[in-house]
Amino acid sequence: MPKVKSEKRNRLHHEVQKQGILFNKEFGQHILKNPLVITSMLEKAAIRSTDVILEIGPGTGNMTVRMLERCKKVIACEIDTRLAAELQKRVQATPMQYKLQILIGDFLKADLPFFDLCIANIPYQISSPLIFKLLLHRPLFRCAVLMFQREFAQRLVAKPGEKLYCRLSVNTQLLARVDMLMKVGKNNFKPPPKVESSVVRLEPKNPPPPVNFTEWDGLTRVAFLRKNKTLAAAFKINSVLEMLEKNYKLHLSLRNKPIEEDFDMQAKVVNILEKLNMANTRARSMDLDDFMRLLLAFNSEGIHFN
């Protein structure tokens, strides 16, 4: 019996090869072929029979069919029409075909329907925008179990003071609890990628933090322009001061308030940093609370980042 199952699992790869369909590196098509890794990812997601699961880049459906066996519905988003057709054929004439919905197109441009879980071996080149599209989606989902390039995954979980701690770390950890689940070697994929991979679990914070994410993102963008420099140095960059001054003047205009006669944006910024005792602080050492205090201090003075 195990041999029969193995043949079924690999049949689609043979069919794809027979039809001359090659995996497209431009779309980051590296198919996860190891059933043990797939099983582990599904177990970490704690799938319920009532769950609707979103999968991004299902490829030939090795993980899709395993999810269909456990959940109510899978919504598979696939940019490659050839693979979407092969996936449809794979479940055709089985009970699973009624539980599968395929969305053809670019995930980053798609309007996402409701889902409980997101489980995917994602195209690595869209990792960053994909995370924030998911985490800013409403209503909130329960959790996501996602495969990333290892260094990217390490950045997601990095803590203040660590080498890989960056704007991505701060922005992700504002919106979700992030855990590294396991490492996955190159040979678990077909064709093997050039990089090692890791699986990460993201659990959106519910309720979401009471902060305007566009504002937050603008602040962290400025702070991490030179993450090894002080905040005072980062905020003295001309383009940053010009952006803040433009936003400040707009803020006053919308409230019919005149601008101060002795207005000096750099002096206002320095004053805020000194009041918080953060002028000599570096972004690489700041935690979420530090960034929150900084954002509130700027906003309270009518200085915005969006």
Side-chain angles (χ1 to χ4, degrees):
M1 288 302 292
K3 289 185 178 178
V4 174
K5 289 183 180 178
S6 178
E7 287 169 8
K8 285 184 178 179
R9 189 176 291 126
N10 294 323
R11 184 189 306 155
L12 191 62
H13 289 300
H14 298 319
E15 290 298 319
V16 168
Q17 290 171 353
K18 282 179 187 176
Q19 295 173 34
I21 297 177
L22 301 175
F23 296 122
N24 192 328
K25 291 184 179 180
E26 182 184 343
F27 293 153
Q29 290 174 350
H30 298 281
I31 307 302
L32 181 58
K33 65 180 184 179
N34 187 336
L36 296 178
V37 175
I38 293 172
T39 297
S40 184
M41 288 180 68
L42 300 189
E43 288 176 350
K44 298 292 186 183
I47 300 170
R48 302 169 187 169
S49 60
T50 55
D51 281 337
V52 174
I53 302 176
L54 176 69
E55 184 182 14
I56 303 143
T60 56
N62 287 347
M63 188 152 62
T64 315
V65 294
R66 299 284 298 280
M67 292 191 291
L68 287 167
E69 295 167 355
R70 302 181 182 210
C71 71
K72 178 182 177 181
K73 180 180 181 181
V74 172
I75 301 168
C77 191
E78 177 57 66
I79 196 170
D80 192 329
T81 54
R82 307 165 309 156
L83 292 182
E86 291 300 326
L87 176 56
Q88 192 73 58
K89 287 179 187 177
R90 187 167 185 173
V91 300
Q92 203 165 7
T94 74
M96 290 188 289
Q97 78 175 87
Y98 304 105
K99 298 166 68 175
L100 175 64
Q101 177 186 349
I102 299 178
L103 299 179
I104 299 176
D106 185 344
F107 169 80
L108 297 178
K109 298 176 182 177
D111 291 326
L112 300 183
F114 167 83
F115 60 96
D116 298 291
L117 301 173
C118 180
I119 308 173
N121 166 32
I122 65 169
Y124 291 170
Q125 66 266 35
I126 64 168
S127 295
S128 187
L130 179 146
I131 279 186
F132 295 107
K133 183 176 178 70
L134 285 176
L135 293 179
L136 295 172
H137 175 69
R138 297 295 180 269
L140 290 170
F141 56 95
R142 195 164 72 248
C143 84
V145 174
L146 305 171
M147 182 89 69
F148 294 112
Q149 180 177 336
R150 186 164 301 162
E151 184 174 312
F152 184 88
Q154 291 170 333
R155 290 179 187 277
L156 290 179
V157 302
K159 301 301 179 188
E162 294 180 355
K163 182 180 179 181
L164 292 177
Y165 187 67
C166 60
R167 180 167 151 250
L168 174 68
S169 320
V170 175
N171 286 0
T172 305
Q173 291 169 32
L174 170 76
L175 300 173
R177 283 174 281 276
V178 193
D179 296 297
M180 186 81 76
L181 296 182
M182 60 181 167
K183 297 178 180 179
V184 182
K186 302 175 186 178
N187 293 331
N188 292 287
F189 301 87
K190 182 178 182 179
K194 295 180 179 179
V195 296
E196 299 294 334
S197 303
S198 290
V199 177
V200 169
R201 185 179 189 274
L202 295 165
E203 183 183 341
K205 292 180 180 177
N206 192 5
V211 61
N212 180 321
F213 183 74
T214 305
E215 283 272 316
W216 176 278
D217 184 52
L219 170 64
T220 59
R221 190 184 300 273
V222 172
F224 280 98
L225 275 173
R226 301 175 178 176
K227 75 171 186 175
N228 293 321
K229 300 289 186 180
T230 64
L231 289 181
F235 278 92
K236 283 180 182 175
I237 298 172
N238 286 336
S239 59
V240 172
L241 289 171
E242 289 170 6
M243 178 268 292
L244 295 178
E245 182 172 332
K246 178 182 176 182
N247 290 349
Y248 180 65
K249 289 179 177 178
L250 177 61
H251 170 82
L252 293 178
S253 174
L254 292 173
R255 287 158 181 77
N256 294 316
K257 291 182 178 181
I259 193 165
E260 305 96 307
E261 290 185 8
D262 58 346
F263 171 76
D264 183 336
M265 179 51 69
Q266 183 169 324
K268 286 182 77 72
V269 167
V270 170
N271 184 51
I272 291 171
L273 294 176
E274 288 181 347
K275 276 186 179 180
L276 294 174
N277 198 27
M278 284 187 173
N280 295 317
T281 301
R282 291 169 169 77
R284 67 184 184 192
S285 65
M286 294 172 63
D287 62 18
L288 294 179
D289 290 340
D290 292 329
F291 282 106
M292 192 71 76
R293 285 196 302 124
L294 188 59
L295 182 61
L296 289 174
F298 273 102
N299 286 174
S300 66
E301 294 290 331
I303 301 175
H304 295 274
F305 294 85
N306 63 349

